[in-house]
């Protein structure tokens, strides 16, 4: 690797991802991205300038040692590279697939200032896959048990990363999951074509092998309250990583018509309940074959839902988003993939009402055109309806993907945990401590809907603080 | 994995199961439900908890075989395993001493009306129960209902047992007789619950119904179970399942419950064909 000069490195073009052909993939649920070959990975790694002060690391919410792991890849030591990542990130195969790299590590990449940044996400994914396919997955070393027990509520990214860090430090860790499958949003929310469930299972298997215990079908707030976990079940601390699982609706006429889904329901039916294999699997989903499907929203979930509808056979699949593409919160790659697959973007357009027939079935939507005004409190330009620009479009299925509020099951039964006006749990941003002694929280239940990597960052922060608290006893 | 400790038919197609689920047994309150998934390929369906035994660590559910999943569940026997049972879910019934309370169960809805009748009795109410069914053979929990009631009535649509008529006819009769009723709980088919709401509305009698919309996770996450209460969407799984009967949009609920009708038929056909095939293989094997 040392033979190359920076100039030579800059000359290597960024290697694009090998992908399934759009026409083919838009009709199957197999993964879209097929990964790098070892040769491509080494060449891509050679593009890294090995900056003395790597800005990419600061751009990563969990500060993966990006420079070091890329050096190892360039040297062909793929296993060494994945070990390096795992010092800071328990779920590299997942993050390599779903992180918004272009806003994080890759945005900060120096190579990107004069060309395209190093494909850090693709490289992370490559080494994680390399390790998994080798069948020799490294299990991090676990310290001898220190006799202290921690309960983790929710098996999504926040809970899993918190569990890993605490287990490594020698805590007895149990993760409680409300659903029948582990992984939270990673399994019910993110589709197979973007994140194969097998990968989530393998990563969770790693945690099991470390000795983390998991309990599915266990809804904390119902079967045990937080107090009961600590007083009766003997947990010394509790981490709440329950996510933002309460879908928002638009509040427009016709939202209760048959054919109108929340993104959570639509994706849960398909991803978790395998409705696309009905009747082999028992859960149905409305037949989308030759139907018109509209998805409202511009985030990753909206892209997931609209691309899912194509795979379910939709004739026309629309994204209806009230701002322009520039303001869309979805990852650039997901927007690109959606377009390639034939999703039709109705930008600067907002739904006014949903139109139904006498039997209560959705048959159309009334939309209004929008223009962008001055920036609002989100920093994005405010969408303003253009009066008189209303028009209608025939649709058979609508999916509302405008975000989620915090799920109230835990806070309802533990009122002394302080919540914000929006229902999110209030924490000290440094320690993730809630207002209740011994209870920490992180991820979407604190921030509202955010990204996998931010939730993981919060889980790690909480793990460090829980360790500190349980070693010192001071709150 | 949840083991079936006891299983028996109460009426044709209506089966009672006692399931080992100690944590849920300890926590459940009247009006709450569980989500059940029978096996790996199964769907998640909500079923109300009819009873529980904390010492034995069991809960009781009563299942009417209607669609594929409930029919398949009703094939399960003592000793069999149910893959997932999650709960207790939903808000417990709001119980207080109302004075005179009427608990109405229609068909398998009686399985839900029963625990609430018990709770109403414990709270000191004068409890009247009306237990309705299409015919004599479909009457369930007769003895149990009688045991907790100050007055117990059975109604059958065809007059084959008890009072000849609908539960609403009996309710109206009680009102006409001048009985002062302070609270009504009605659980059963949607048209029945709507009819009860229509009977009590002019008298301003506080009336509660337990709704049964289509549900997936049961924790508020999917929003599929939204029902219109006073024109506003609420989630039956976390805000309900019990709501003020006079505020429920029953038409919307009925429409939404028909959403997968076509698929349910298909699933059932698929299931019955599979059953027949299994039967055939069994017969052939026996013949050999």
């Amino acid at each position: 690797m040392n033979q190359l000069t920076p100039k030579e490195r800059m000359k290597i073009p960024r290697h694009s991802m090998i992908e399934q052909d759009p026409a083919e993939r838009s009709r199957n649920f197999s993964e879209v991205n097929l990964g790098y070959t070892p040769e491509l990975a080494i060449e891509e790694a050679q593009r890294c300038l090995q900056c003395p002060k790597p800005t990419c690391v600061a751009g990563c919410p969990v500060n993966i040692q990006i420079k070091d792991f890329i050096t190892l890849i360039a040297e062909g030591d793929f296993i060494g590279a994945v070990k390096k990542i795992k010092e800071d990130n328990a779920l590299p195969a997942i993050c390599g697939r779903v992180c918004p790299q272009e806003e994080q590590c890759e945005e900060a990449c120096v190579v990107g200032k004069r060309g395209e940044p190093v494909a850090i996400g693709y490289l992370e994914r490559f080494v994680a896959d390399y390790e998994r396919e080798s069948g020799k997955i490294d299990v991090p070393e676990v310290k001898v048990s220190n006799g202290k027990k921690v309960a983790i509520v929710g098996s999504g990214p926040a809970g899993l990363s918190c569990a890993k860090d605490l287990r490594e430090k020698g805590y007895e860790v149990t993760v409680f999951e409300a659903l029948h499958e582990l992984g939270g949003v990673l399994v019910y929310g993110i589709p197979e074509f973007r994140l194969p469930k097998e990968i989530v299972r393998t990563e969770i298997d790693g945690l099991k092998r470390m000795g983390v215990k998991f309990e599915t079908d266990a809804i904390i707030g119902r079967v045990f309250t937080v107090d009961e976990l600590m007083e009766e079940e003997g947990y010394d601390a509790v981490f709440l990583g329950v996510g933002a699982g309460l879908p928002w609706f638009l509040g427009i006429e016709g939202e209760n018509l048959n054919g109108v889904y929340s993104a959570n329901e639509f994706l849960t039916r398909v991803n978790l309940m395998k409705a696309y294999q009905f009747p082999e699997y028992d859960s149905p989903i409305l037949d989308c074959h030759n139907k018109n499907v509209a998805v409202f929203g511009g985030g990753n979930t909206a892209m997931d839902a609209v691309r899912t509808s194509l795979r379910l056979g939709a004739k026309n699949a629309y994204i209806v988003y009230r701002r322009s593409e520039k303001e869309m919160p979805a990852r650039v790659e997901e927007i690109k993939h959606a377009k390639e697959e034939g999703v039709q973007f109705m930008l600067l357009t907002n739904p006014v009402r949903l139109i139904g027939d006498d039997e209560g079935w959705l048959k159309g939507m009334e939309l209004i055109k929008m223009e962008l005004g001055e920036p609002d409190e989100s920093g994005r330009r405010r969408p303003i309806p253009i009066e008189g620009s209303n028009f209608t479009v025939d649709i058979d299925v609508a999916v509302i993907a405008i975000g989620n509020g915090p799920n109230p099951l835990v806070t309802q039964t533990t009122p002394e945990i302080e919540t914000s006006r929006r229902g999110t749990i209030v924490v000290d941003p440094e320690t993730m401590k809630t207002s209740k002694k011994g209870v920490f929280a992180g991820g979407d239940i604190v921030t509202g809907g955010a990204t996998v990597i931010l939730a993981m960052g919060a889980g790690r922060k909480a793990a460090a603080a829980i360790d500190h608290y349980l070693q010192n006893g001071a709150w | 994995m949840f083991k079936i400790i006891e299983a028996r038919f109460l009426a044709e197609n209506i089966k009672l199961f006692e399931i080992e689920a100690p944590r849920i047994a300890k926590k459940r309150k009247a009006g709450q439900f569980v989500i059940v998934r029978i096996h790996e390929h199964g769907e998640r369906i909500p079923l109300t908890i009819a009873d529980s035994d904390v010492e034995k660590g069991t809960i009781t559910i009563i299942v009417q075989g209607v669609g594929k999943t409930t029919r398949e569940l009703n094939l399960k026997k003592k000793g069999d395993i149910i893959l997932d049972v999650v709960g207790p879910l939903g808000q417990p019934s709001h119980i207080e001493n109302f004075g005179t309370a009427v608990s109405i169960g229609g068909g398998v809805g009686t399985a839900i009306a029963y625990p609430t009748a018990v709770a109403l009795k414990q709270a000191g109410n004068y409890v009247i129960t009306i237990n309705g069914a299409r015919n004599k053979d479909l009457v369930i929990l007769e003895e149990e209902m009688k045991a907790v009631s100050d007055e117990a009535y059975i109604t059958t649509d065809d007059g084959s047992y008890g009072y000849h008529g609908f539960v609403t006819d009996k309710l109206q009769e009680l009102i006409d007789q001048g009985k002062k009723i302070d609270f009504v709980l009605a659980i059963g088919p949607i048209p029945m619950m709507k009819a009860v709401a229509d009977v009590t509305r002019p008298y301003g009698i506080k009336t509660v119904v337990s709704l049964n919309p289509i549900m997936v996770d049961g924790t508020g996450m999917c929003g599929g179970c939204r029902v219109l209460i006073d024109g506003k969407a609420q989630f039956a799984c976390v805000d309900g399942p019990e709501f003020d009967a006079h505020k429920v949009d029953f038409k919307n609920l009925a429409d939404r419950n028909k959403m997968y009708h076509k698929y349910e038929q298909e699933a059932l056909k698929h299931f019955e064909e599979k059953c027949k095939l299994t039967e055939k293989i069994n017969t052939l094997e026996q013949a050999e």
Side-chain angles (χ1 to χ4, degrees), chain A residues 152-156 175-184 187-188 214-223 241-242 245 272 407 409-410, chain B residues 2 24 35-37 44 84-87 89 216-221:
Chain A
I152 302 213
V153 185
S155 69
V175 180
F176 294 94
E177 169 56 47
L179 288 169
H180 58 259
E181 203 169 317
L182 296 169
V187 297
Y188 76 74
F214 288 93
E215 287 202 30
T216 52
D217 295 335
I219 303 182
I220 302 306
R222 292 288 192 208
V223 82
V242 297
L272 183 71
N407 192 293
L409 283 180
V410 169
Chain B
F2 297 79
I24 302 172
I35 293 257
V36 167
R37 189 176 74 130
R44 297 168 62 96
D84 300 287
V85 179
V86 201
L89 294 161
V216 184
D217 63 293
T219 66
M221 187 268 280

Side-chain angles (χ1 to χ4, degrees), chain A residues 284-344:
Chain A
I285 188 141
L286 290 177
D287 186 5
C288 292
H289 275 101
N290 289 316
K291 299 282 171 64
N292 297 330
V293 180
V295 176
F296 306 118
N300 288 323
T301 308
M303 296 304 140
D304 287 343
V306 79
R307 295 169 67 200
T308 295
S309 78
L310 280 176
R311 285 157 175 80
L312 294 172
K315 180 171 67 183
N316 291 299
Y318 306 109
I319 279 284
V320 179
Y321 181 58
R322 61 188 185 143
R323 304 183 204 245
S324 74
E325 188 177 323
K326 214 179 93 203
E327 288 85 21
M328 275 194 168
R331 294 177 73 214
V332 169
E333 185 172 58
E334 310 314 328
I335 297 173
K336 171 181 158 267
H337 281 163
K339 283 185 176 166
E340 287 168 359
E341 290 165 12
V343 170
Q344 300 165 59

Side-chain angles (χ1 to χ4, degrees), chain A residues 146 161 211 218 371 402:
Chain A
N146 60 23
S161 64
E371 60 189 350
I402 56 166

Side-chain angles (χ1 to χ4, degrees), chain B residues 171-190:
Chain B
L171 179 64
Q172 185 68 58
E173 197 185 280
L174 290 172
I175 294 170
D176 292 344
Q177 282 166 4
K179 188 145 282 197
K180 192 187 157 290
I181 295 170
D182 305 291
F183 176 77
V184 171
L185 168 92
I187 300 162
I190 295 168

Side-chain angles (χ1 to χ4, degrees), chain A residues 80-209:
Chain A
V82 75
K83 274 191 181 159
K84 184 54 75 182
I85 297 174
K86 280 188 170 174
E87 288 177 20
D88 302 288
N89 177 350
L91 312 168
I94 294 168
C95 287
R97 286 171 164 83
V98 303
C99 270
Q101 288 97 3
E102 75 267 9
E103 295 170 9
Q104 297 176 348
C105 53
E106 293 182 19
E107 186 183 39
C109 172
V110 171
V111 179
K113 305 292 171 219
R114 268 201 288 157
E116 292 218 68
V118 175
I120 300 168
Y122 292 169
L123 290 172
E124 179 182 24
R125 177 198 148 116
F126 168 76
V127 291
D129 287 357
Y130 183 88
E131 184 195 38
R132 190 180 61 257
E133 283 155 18
S134 76
K136 293 190 290 275
I137 298 182
D138 177 53
V139 175
E141 230 169 272
V142 174
K143 282 200 188 145
V144 184
S145 173
N146 60 23
K148 293 209 157 65
K149 280 170 71 180
V150 182
I152 302 213
V153 185
S155 69
L160 294 178
S161 64
C162 187
K164 182 216 172 213
D165 281 13
L166 286 171
R167 183 67 197 137
E168 271 183 341
K169 293 190 170 85
Y171 291 91
E172 297 295 322
V173 179
T174 304
V175 180
F176 294 94
E177 169 56 47
L179 288 169
H180 58 259
E181 203 169 317
L182 296 169
V185 72
L186 303 171
V187 297
Y188 76 74
I190 303 178
E192 192 75 19
F193 58 80
R194 191 150 76 87
L195 177 65
K197 301 296 152 271
E198 194 49 44
I199 286 166
V200 180
R201 271 195 286 272
T202 311
E203 305 257 35
I204 290 172
D205 253 10
L207 296 182
K208 284 183 184 162
R209 284 162 56 204

Side-chain angles (χ1 to χ4, degrees), chain A residues 8-25:
Chain A
E8 285 167 326
R9 292 176 196 278
M10 290 294 285
K11 273 194 189 146
I12 310 171
R14 175 171 160 128
H15 292 83
S16 39
M17 175 58 71
I18 306 171
E19 296 170 355
Q20 258 201 84
D21 176 64
E24 217 169 277
R25 75 183 191 229

Side-chain angles (χ1 to χ4, degrees), chain A residues 171 433 463-474:
Chain A
Y171 291 91
K433 281 180 183 169
I466 290 169
D467 179 42
H468 191 258
Y469 163 64
L470 291 180
Q471 295 310 318
N472 301 303

